[in-house]
Amino acid sequence: MPAQITGALGRLQAFIKQFSIAQRTLGLIGIAGVVLGAIALSSYLTKPTMSPLFADVSTADASAIVDQLTGEGVPYELTDGGRTILVPQDQLYAMRLKAAAAGLPAATDGAGYSLLDNMGMTASEFQQTTTYRRAMEGELAKTIGAMNGVEAATVKLAMPEQTVFVSDTADPTASVFLQTSRGTTLQAEQVTAIVHLVSAGVQGMKPTDVSVVDAEGHVLSAVGGLPGGGMGDQQTSDYQTRVAASVQAMLDRVVGAGKAVVTVNAELNLDNTDLTSETFTATPGVPALSSATTTETYSGTGGTAAGVLGPDNIAVPGGADGTGTYTKGSENLNPAVDKVTEHTTTTPGSVRRQSVSVVVDQDAGAALNMTDLTTMVTVAAGIDTTRGDSVAVSRMAFDTTTAEAAQAALGAADAEAKAVAQMDLIKQGAIAGAILLLLLISFVIAKRKSGKARREALDLGELQMVNETPMLPFGGLETLALIPAAPQIDEAAVKRAEIGNLAEDQPAEVADLLRGWLQTGNKR
């Protein structure tokens, strides 16, 4: 190593040794912070800008695109639960072209009415029908997949063949498979919307002809059942909850919260009813649409053998000569009749009957009029006595032991939580105090070491100036005579003593210094 570099390193080492341990530690921490900041800044500056290659893609397409990017050696990032793929900005368009050449993403290009774009003129009727059905299935699946909470959807249509040899054609049916997002459960309104969306998109399809199944195998809507799924129990439960909440809100304002209990039991009509009726009514005073009158008259003589017969085929006297008259008239009227055709479709969910039971705390409801309270509950619950609804309102003493035990448990839990929080606060304070005490001790030690070093330097300076001529502050011999003569001190002995003390206090540093001097002298 050149002497210049060695000397520079030696001076740097000697300069570093002048600092105390605390100063060296702070210096190392500062250098480490600067290095880490420089590394982070360089990493941030050199990191490429990521842009979305494809967004909202299916799981299968995302897997295929990631495989292609891995094969090309292109870095990528996945966001939005793996549905959005990010690539560096400078490789964005090149990778889009390569993905398009590979037919990716396939889920957006292989379904829908785009199937009809490449159909040839020589396609058979079967091919045309099948392709059109596939196009409708793809369009419906993409529309359903755009709903919130639906990750993927598959629609299968069963459309009967149109033929002239069958008088009655079966209605088309559809089955929908749904894959919901993780942690998402479709509500009854969403299932109903899917059912009506599919049924309205296919000609001749009814909402009862759509079946919806989720990825867990739950039947959300069955063919021939309720629109929106065979959820009769859920619909009944929702109705009972809604009525009970309405009555409970009223009672809480009257008797206080927790002083009344409401129970509703309802029976809903979940049948689909389609009724067509015709009514004919003749309007008085309106002229007939058509009328026909027939009149038959006869007069003259006839044979003697035949007479005019009376009742019971007995000949009428005086008619034996065959003379007389005969008149017959008839009228046929076609009056104007009003015709009314009424088509009624009953939606499932109407209430057949319901019963409401209300129990009020005896202490809270002691001053209440039970008749008035029953009337209020009847109106709030929508009770109809003509269909068999019933209401029962009574006063009873509530058992508050469970509530008191729960309240006590909550109080104990709150107290325990406060105690734990207080202990955590004390621990954190103790840790912070200990850290502060350590820092303070370190600062005091560093301060003492720094003061000791400064004192040693001052003592050495004073020893070096002992034999020199003192400066006269006032510039006169009189002043010099007033200054006592300095004692004679052996400078060499003082130096040897200082070197010995230094070697005893800092043996490692003295050894390093001597080693450096020896290496420098040998190289010279």
Side-chain angles (χ1 to χ4, degrees):
M1 183 179 293
Q4 294 81 0
I5 299 177
T6 305
L9 292 177
R11 289 191 296 271
L12 178 61
Q13 187 176 7
F15 177 75
I16 294 176
K17 290 179 179 179
Q18 294 178 359
F19 294 101
S20 62
I21 297 177
Q23 292 174 344
R24 295 176 188 176
T25 304
L26 293 177
L28 290 176
I29 293 175
I31 294 172
V34 172
V35 172
L36 292 177
I39 294 174
L41 181 61
S42 62
S43 176
Y44 175 77
L45 294 177
T46 57
K47 183 179 179 181
T49 303
M50 308 298 285
S51 299
L53 178 64
F54 293 105
D56 197 17
V57 295
S58 62
T59 306
D61 289 341
S63 177
I65 295 172
V66 166
D67 292 341
Q68 184 179 8
L69 294 176
T70 304
E72 296 287 340
V74 177
Y76 64 90
E77 294 181 3
L78 298 177
T79 59
D80 192 17
R83 299 176 64 87
T84 301
I85 304 174
L86 304 178
V87 296
Q89 178 67 34
D90 55 350
Q91 300 182 3
L92 176 63
Y93 299 104
M95 295 311 302
R96 281 185 180 176
L97 292 177
K98 291 183 179 180
L104 297 174
T108 57
D109 296 335
Y113 289 122
S114 59
L115 296 174
L116 304 177
D117 297 337
N118 300 325
M119 184 178 295
M121 298 180 59
T122 59
S124 63
E125 183 180 358
F126 175 76
Q127 291 176 337
Q128 293 178 359
T129 305
T130 304
T131 305
Y132 178 70
R133 188 184 74 249
R134 290 180 56 199
M136 293 184 62
E137 292 173 352
E139 290 294 328
L140 291 173
K142 288 195 296 184
T143 305
I144 296 173
M147 293 183 176
N148 294 331
V150 179
E151 184 174 349
T154 303
V155 179
K156 299 297 181 182
L157 300 178
M159 305 177 67
E161 183 180 359
Q162 301 292 335
T163 176
V164 297
F165 300 102
V166 178
S167 59
D168 296 332
T169 305
D171 295 334
T173 58
S175 61
V176 181
F177 174 80
L178 300 177
Q179 182 178 357
T180 58
S181 302
R182 180 175 299 178
T184 303
T185 302
L186 295 181
Q187 302 297 326
E189 294 80 5
Q190 293 176 296
V191 178
T192 303
I194 293 173
V195 169
H196 285 282
L197 174 66
V198 175
S199 62
V202 181
Q203 183 180 4
M205 183 177 294
K206 300 177 181 178
T208 55
D209 295 331
V210 180
S211 174
V212 182
V213 181
D214 62 1
E216 297 180 358
H218 298 157
V219 179
L220 305 180
S221 175
V223 174
L226 284 174
M231 298 181 178
D233 295 339
Q234 182 178 356
Q235 190 173 2
T236 303
S237 178
D238 293 342
Y239 174 80
Q240 294 176 170
T241 303
R242 185 171 64 252
V243 174
S246 177
V247 177
Q248 187 70 52
M250 179 193 67
L251 293 176
D252 289 344
R253 299 293 299 272
V254 175
V255 298
K259 301 299 182 180
V261 178
V262 181
T263 302
V264 178
N265 187 9
E267 181 182 354
L268 302 184
N269 184 8
L270 303 178
D271 299 332
N272 287 320
T273 304
D274 194 357
L275 177 63
T276 302
S277 61
E278 294 182 353
T279 304
F280 300 91
T281 304
T283 305
V286 177
L289 297 178
S290 62
S291 62
T293 303
T294 303
T295 303
E296 183 179 353
T297 304
Y298 173 78
S299 63
T301 59
T304 57
V308 180
L309 297 178
D312 299 331
N313 294 329
I314 300 175
V316 179
D321 56 357
T323 62
T325 60
Y326 172 74
T327 303
K328 178 182 179 182
S330 63
E331 183 178 5
N332 186 11
L333 296 177
N334 186 13
V337 178
D338 294 336
K339 178 182 179 182
V340 178
T341 302
E342 184 178 0
H343 184 79
T344 305
T345 301
T346 304
T347 304
S350 60
V351 181
R352 286 181 177 174
R353 55 183 168 272
Q354 66 176 345
S355 58
V356 179
S357 175
V358 177
V359 180
V360 181
D361 187 14
Q362 186 173 359
D363 297 334
L368 295 178
N369 189 343
M370 300 305 295
T371 303
D372 296 338
L373 186 61
T374 303
T375 303
M376 289 188 298
V377 172
T378 301
V379 175
I383 299 297
D384 187 1
T385 56
T386 59
R387 65 186 180 193
D389 296 351
S390 60
V391 178
V393 181
S394 59
R395 280 194 299 256
M396 291 184 180
F398 280 14
D399 184 9
T400 59
T401 55
T402 304
E404 292 175 355
Q407 188 68 26
L410 290 176
D414 292 340
E416 184 178 359
K418 290 181 180 179
V420 172
Q422 187 175 4
M423 289 299 297
D424 292 340
L425 184 60
I426 293 174
K427 289 181 180 178
Q428 293 176 2
I431 294 173
I435 294 174
L436 183 60
L437 182 60
L438 290 177
L439 292 177
L440 184 60
I441 293 174
S442 301
F443 178 75
V444 171
I445 293 174
K447 196 73 174 177
R448 288 183 177 179
K449 289 186 176 180
S450 178
K452 183 179 179 181
R454 287 196 298 270
R455 286 194 301 272
E456 290 178 354
L458 290 175
D459 293 340
L460 291 176
E462 291 176 356
L463 290 175
Q464 290 176 359
M465 296 178 62
V466 166
N467 294 329
E468 294 182 359
T469 303
M471 295 181 62
L472 301 178
F474 301 104
L477 295 177
E478 297 81 359
T479 307
L480 181 59
L482 296 176
I483 300 176
Q488 297 294 328
I489 299 175
D490 189 358
E491 184 177 355
V494 172
K495 292 293 185 181
R496 286 194 298 271
E498 291 177 355
I499 293 173
N501 294 332
L502 182 62
E504 291 179 359
D505 294 339
Q506 300 179 354
E509 295 181 359
V510 173
D512 293 339
L513 181 60
L514 295 176
R515 192 180 296 109
W517 288 349
L518 293 175
Q519 292 177 357
T520 304
N522 293 333
K523 291 182 179 179
R524 289 181 181 177

